[in-house]
Amino acid sequence: MPRSNRPRNTGRDRDDDDGDLSFLLTGWLRTERKRDGEWKVQPVSAVRAAKSYVCPGCRLEVAPGVAHVVTWRADDMLGDAAALADRRHWHGHCWRIH
């Protein structure tokens, strides 16, 4: 019997990116406790990392295309808007040892 070249309906939406799992990581906002208080931590996948930042841990560049985390204070006295405005982009390793 000849093979069919038509795509089979896999039940997945055809609008999503095949093979790109970064959509699973985005939105996994978590709260972590460090020596200096509580922090909101948002992972950024390499696919979504489009700009260059300076890591506050090592003072080196977080280059575009490098997975990293974005953090801001969860317990800021000035409120969530001020904390979000002061967010920082860290290398994952630098954040873990911070």
Side-chain angles (χ1 to χ4, degrees), residues 21-65:
L21 299 179
S22 64
F23 68 93
L24 292 175
L25 291 177
T26 53
W28 285 29
L29 179 65
R30 63 185 185 268
T31 303
E32 293 184 13
R33 180 169 282 290
K34 295 282 190 177
R35 294 182 297 263
D36 55 351
E38 281 192 18
W39 293 83
K40 297 286 186 177
V41 180
Q42 174 73 52
V44 177
S45 69
V47 174
R48 304 248 189 247
K51 293 172 60 179
S52 177
Y53 300 96
V54 175
C55 174
C58 65
R59 304 279 185 224
L60 297 175
E61 178 187 24
V62 178

Side-chain angles (χ1 to χ4, degrees), residues 42-88:
Q42 174 73 52
V44 177
S45 69
V47 174
R48 304 248 189 247
K51 293 172 60 179
S52 177
Y53 300 96
V54 175
C55 174
C58 65
R59 304 279 185 224
L60 297 175
E61 178 187 24
V62 178
V66 173
H68 61 281
V69 294
V70 179
T71 65
W72 61 93
R73 299 216 38 122
D75 54 359
D76 196 308
M77 293 183 347
L78 298 177
D80 291 338
L84 196 56
D86 288 335
R87 67 189 178 271
R88 297 291 176 252

